[in-house]
């Protein structure tokens, strides 16, 4: 029970309420019992008091000789004595003072007073009223003592009732005070502390003073729980704050690394990276990644030693340079004489361009993020070298292609013209060595030589114009319009028309160059060999996004002989068409003239078609 009261505030308050109710009920029951016991006390006092009056009446009636009146009063007095006993709280045989006085009154009445009164009334004993009153005086004194006893009993009951009421009042007041004290001490103050602590926790303050509630009841358990919860939350909050700081630092590092990779990628896209600048990028990477002792060895695929060895910090001080092939082919961490080396080969498409090394003291290692950054930097360097090599290869291929085109152009134009001039010079020598020089024939040969030289010079100028051709800011349309103006100036008798509808088509530089050269080749053939007065150039786009190029003239039409076709540069146009994966068709028009028709699909349309196929799949 005491443990329950100590461990439960609810049980404690309930016990106080129960005690208060029990005290109140006890007071009510005691009051009821006492009041019920005192119910006949007034009647008993009244009846006992009336015995004195009847005694005085008998002292006056008996000497008169009225036997009947005396008997009536005597019976009435005896009856009241019986009534007094019946309403008393004690029996006649009790040892109480009131019971003893009652028995004394009964004994005096039945043994002395009543027989005396009846004898006097019957005249058997002579006595006057004064003498009788004197003889009744002890009886009356006993009756007075009995009345006093009943009065005392009634007063004692009233005093007991008052004592019970006062005691109940004090007990109830004490219980109420005790309840208020317990509520204030063990409920109000702890609840106030709990409320203030809860408000501070709600505001995010977990570092206030602990709750000093040492009771074993529910509020004490709640206070200890809140203290534990606050400590745990505070520790968790500090841990989270520390982790947030670490994550923020990591994110900052990641941001710096991403910014570094972005700047490096942008620089790679701008052009080749020389060794000195690559060393600067290696230093910047070391600062971003918080790494020292970096080595970047660059090698040719066929070489056995690096042509460039860039070092950041102390680098790999144990690098002897005698086993570069093994070092380049090794990947991952290795332990070498009191240090740990991480190697990241610069490899792409099974071609190795060198290795990136990071040297650490023995016992230290790189985390996953640092290894990822090193691998990313190695990939970027590899991509830069590969892009530079690819661009150089493309430039070499483009140069060789252009040289092949120049050779074909020279062969189809100047070479044939020079061969023709050589033949004419041979004829002229023969004519000069003959015994009889035919001046007319010599003049004819000289005239043909002059025309051949003019033709060769004109072809040379056209070739120079073609080889110097560049596409400026105006794009394909602008250069075509400039070429047409040049044709009109050189050949005012020929009307050259342009129908251009490719303003919304995004052509690549490769497509523009080949398309321009093809149109110029076909239009030059039409201008110089068609013998017509109109050339129409049309560039349009079909519904399937393919491009249609048509060059038409109203001249004599193309020859069906193969050697004539080659003379007009048809093979060059076929090669340019194949470079664009297009279809070239050259035919004689029914209404007269020649039509060169070329159809091809530009790169952007091919990519769109592949995207649609992928989406449908």
């Amino acid at each position: 029970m005491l443990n329950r009261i100590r461990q439960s505030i609810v049980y404690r308050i309930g016990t106080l309420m129960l005690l208060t109710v029990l005290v109140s009920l006890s007071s009510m029951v005691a009051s009821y019992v006492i009041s019920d016991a005192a119910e006949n006390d007034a009647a008993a006092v009244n009846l006992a008091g009336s015995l004195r009056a009847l005694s005085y009446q008998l002292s006056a009636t008996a000497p008169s000789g009225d036997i009947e009146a005396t008997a009536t009063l005597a019976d009435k007095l005896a009856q009241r004595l019986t009534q007094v006993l019946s309403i008393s709280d004690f029996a006649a045989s009790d040892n109480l003072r009131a019971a003893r006085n009652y028995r004394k009154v009964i004994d005096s009445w039945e043994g002395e007073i009543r027989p005396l009164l009846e004898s006097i009334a019957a005249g058997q004993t002579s006595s006057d009223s004064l003498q009788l009153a004197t003889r009744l005086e002890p009886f009356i004194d006993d009756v007075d003592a009995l009345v006093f006893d009943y009065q005392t009993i009634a007063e004692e009951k009233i005093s007991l009732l008052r004592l019970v009421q006062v005691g109940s009042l004090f007990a109830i007041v004490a219980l109420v005070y005790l309840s208020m004290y317990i509520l204030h001490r063990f409920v109000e103050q702890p609840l106030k502390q709990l409320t203030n602590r809860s408000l501070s926790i709600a505001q995010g303050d977990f570092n206030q003073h602990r709750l000093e509630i040492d009771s074993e009841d529910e509020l004490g358990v709640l206070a200890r729980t809140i203290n534990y919860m606050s400590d745990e939350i505070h520790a968790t909050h500090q841990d989270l704050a520390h982790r947030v700081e670490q994550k923020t630092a990591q994110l900052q590092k990641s941001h710096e690394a991403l910014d570094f990779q972005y700047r490096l990628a942008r620089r790679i896209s701008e052009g080749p990276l020389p060794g000195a600048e690559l060393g600067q990028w290696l230093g910047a990477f070391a600062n971003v990644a918080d790494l020292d002792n970096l080595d970047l060895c660059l090698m040719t695929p066929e070489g056995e030693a690096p042509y460039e060895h860039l070092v950041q910090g102390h680098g790999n001080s144990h690098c002897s340079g005698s086993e570069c092939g093994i070092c380049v082919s090794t990947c991952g961490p290795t332990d070498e004489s009191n240090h740990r080396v991480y190697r990241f080969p610069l490899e792409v498409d099974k071609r190795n361009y060198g290795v990136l090394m990071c040297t650490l003291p023995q016992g230290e290692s790189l985390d996953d993020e640092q290894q990822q950054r090193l691998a990313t930097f190695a990939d970027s360097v590899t991509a830069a070298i590969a892009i530079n090599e690819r661009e150089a290869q493309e430039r070499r291929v483009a140069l060789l292609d252009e040289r092949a085109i120049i050779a074909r152009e020279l062969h189809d134009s100047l070479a044939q013209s020079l061969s023709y001039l050589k033949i004419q010079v041979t004829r002229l020598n023969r004519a000069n060595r003959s015994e009889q020089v035919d001046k007319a024939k010599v003049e004819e040969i000289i005239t043909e030589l002059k025309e051949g030289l003019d033709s060769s010079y004109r072809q040379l100028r056209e070739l120079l114009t073609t080889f110097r051709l560049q596409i400026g800011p105006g794009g394909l349309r602008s250069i075509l319009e400039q070429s047409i103006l040049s044709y009109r100036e050189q050949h005012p008798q020929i009307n050259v028309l342009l129908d251009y509808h490719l303003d919304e088509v995004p052509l690549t530089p490769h497509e523009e160059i080949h398309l321009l050269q093809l149109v110029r080749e076909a239009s030059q053939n039409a201008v110089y060999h068609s013998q017509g007065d109109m050339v129409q150039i049309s560039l349009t786009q079909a519904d399937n996004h393919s491009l249609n190029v048509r060059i038409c003239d109203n001249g004599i039409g193309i020859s069906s002989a193969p050697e004539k076709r080659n003379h007009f540069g048809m093979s060059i146009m076929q090669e340019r068409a194949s470079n664009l994966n297009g279809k070239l068709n050259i035919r004689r028009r029914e209404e007269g003239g020649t039509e060169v028709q070329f159809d091809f699909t530009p790169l952007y349309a091919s990519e769109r078609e592949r995207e649609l196929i992928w989406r449908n799949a």
Side-chain angles (χ1 to χ4, degrees), residues 93 100 110 175 354 358 417 465 557:
S93 59
R100 292 195 303 270
E110 291 181 351
L175 289 173
C358 177
S417 298
T465 302

Side-chain angles (χ1 to χ4, degrees), residues 61 65-75 121:
T61 303
D66 189 353
I67 298 173
E68 184 176 357
T70 299
T72 302
L73 289 174
D75 291 338

Side-chain angles (χ1 to χ4, degrees), residues 299 323-332 343-347 352 354-355:
M299 301 176 61
E323 298 179 350
C324 294
I326 299 176
C327 183
V328 168
S329 61
T330 304
C331 181
R343 291 181 174 86
F344 300 88
L346 309 181
E347 191 173 69
N352 199 305
V355 65

Side-chain angles (χ1 to χ4, degrees), residues 335-381:
D335 294 326
E336 302 175 4
S337 60
N338 298 327
H339 62 280
R340 190 175 182 85
V341 180
Y342 287 82
R343 291 181 174 86
F344 300 88
L346 309 181
E347 191 173 69
V348 61
D349 296 334
K350 298 182 180 181
R351 294 190 63 181
N352 199 305
Y353 297 98
V355 65
L356 173 65
M357 291 186 297
C358 177
T359 306
L360 299 175
Q362 187 69 30
E364 296 185 9
S365 60
L366 298 176
D367 56 28
D368 295 339
E369 185 174 358
Q370 289 176 318
Q371 294 187 44
Q372 181 64 34
R373 290 177 181 175
L374 282 166
T376 303
F377 181 70
D379 292 341
S380 299
V381 174

Side-chain angles (χ1 to χ4, degrees), residues 152-211:
T152 301
I153 291 172
E155 289 176 354
E156 289 177 352
K157 290 180 180 179
I158 292 173
S159 298
L160 179 61
L161 179 60
R162 186 182 297 112
L163 181 62
V164 169
Q165 294 292 334
V166 173
S168 300
L169 177 62
F170 276 105
I172 291 173
V173 170
L175 289 173
V176 170
Y177 176 79
L178 181 61
S179 300
M180 296 298 294
Y181 172 77
I182 291 176
L183 286 174
H184 175 73
R185 176 68 177 81
F186 298 101
V187 178
E188 182 184 3
Q189 290 183 354
L191 280 178
K192 186 176 181 180
Q193 295 183 37
L194 290 171
T195 302
N196 294 334
R197 188 71 176 122
S198 300
L199 291 176
S200 63
I201 291 175
Q203 294 174 358
D205 185 7
F206 303 101
N207 199 20
Q208 280 193 352
H209 298 293
R210 295 170 57 85
L211 292 172

Side-chain angles (χ1 to χ4, degrees), residues 497-514:
L497 304 177
L498 176 63
D499 185 15
Y500 188 89
H501 295 284
L502 302 182
D503 293 324
E504 307 299 331
V505 179
L507 296 174
T508 65
H510 175 76
E511 293 170 341
E512 288 182 341
I513 287 293
H514 285 288

Side-chain angles (χ1 to χ4, degrees), residues 284-502:
F285 171 76
N287 293 330
V288 170
D290 290 332
L291 295 173
D292 295 326
N293 304 333
L294 298 178
D295 293 79
L296 181 60
C297 297
L298 304 180
M299 301 176 61
T300 61
E302 299 80 11
E304 296 181 356
Y307 65 86
E308 190 82 41
H309 186 184
L310 304 175
V311 179
Q312 177 65 29
H314 297 291
N316 185 4
S317 58
H318 298 273
C319 180
S320 62
S322 60
E323 298 179 350
C324 294
I326 299 176
C327 183
V328 168
S329 61
T330 304
C331 181
T334 57
D335 294 326
E336 302 175 4
S337 60
N338 298 327
H339 62 280
R340 190 175 182 85
V341 180
Y342 287 82
R343 291 181 174 86
F344 300 88
L346 309 181
E347 191 173 69
V348 61
D349 296 334
K350 298 182 180 181
R351 294 190 63 181
N352 199 305
Y353 297 98
V355 65
L356 173 65
M357 291 186 297
C358 177
T359 306
L360 299 175
Q362 187 69 30
E364 296 185 9
S365 60
L366 298 176
D367 56 28
D368 295 339
E369 185 174 358
Q370 289 176 318
Q371 294 187 44
Q372 181 64 34
R373 290 177 181 175
L374 282 166
T376 303
F377 181 70
D379 292 341
S380 299
V381 174
T382 306
I385 298 174
I387 290 174
N388 294 340
E389 186 178 80
R390 190 178 301 114
E391 289 180 352
Q393 181 64 23
E394 290 177 354
R395 286 193 295 269
R396 285 194 293 269
V397 172
L399 181 61
L400 292 176
D401 289 342
E402 289 300 324
R403 287 181 177 179
I405 293 173
I406 292 173
R408 286 193 296 267
E409 294 282 355
L410 292 174
H411 176 269
D412 292 341
S413 57
L414 290 179
Q416 294 182 6
S417 298
L418 292 175
S419 297
Y420 174 76
L421 292 175
K422 184 178 180 181
I423 294 172
Q424 296 301 326
V425 170
T426 302
R427 289 179 59 198
L428 182 60
N429 289 331
R430 286 180 182 176
N432 287 331
R433 284 197 300 266
S434 62
E435 295 179 355
Q436 294 181 356
V437 177
D438 188 352
K439 293 184 178 181
K441 187 176 181 180
V442 170
E443 290 292 334
E444 179 185 357
I445 295 172
I446 292 173
T447 301
E448 290 180 358
L449 282 172
K450 184 178 179 181
E451 291 178 354
L453 287 173
D454 291 340
S455 176
S456 297
Y457 181 70
R458 184 180 65 252
Q459 290 177 4
L460 178 60
R461 290 186 59 187
E462 291 174 354
L463 288 175
L464 292 176
T465 302
T466 301
F467 296 151
R468 292 173 181 175
L469 182 63
Q470 294 182 354
I471 297 180
L476 180 61
R477 183 188 189 109
S478 175
I479 193 64
L480 285 177
E481 290 176 348
Q482 293 178 11
S483 299
I484 290 173
L485 289 176
S486 176
Y487 291 152
R488 289 173 179 172
E489 291 176 357
Q490 296 176 7
H491 307 278
Q493 74 281 5
I494 300 177
N495 185 17
V496 183
L497 304 177
L498 176 63
D499 185 15
Y500 188 89
H501 295 284
L502 302 182

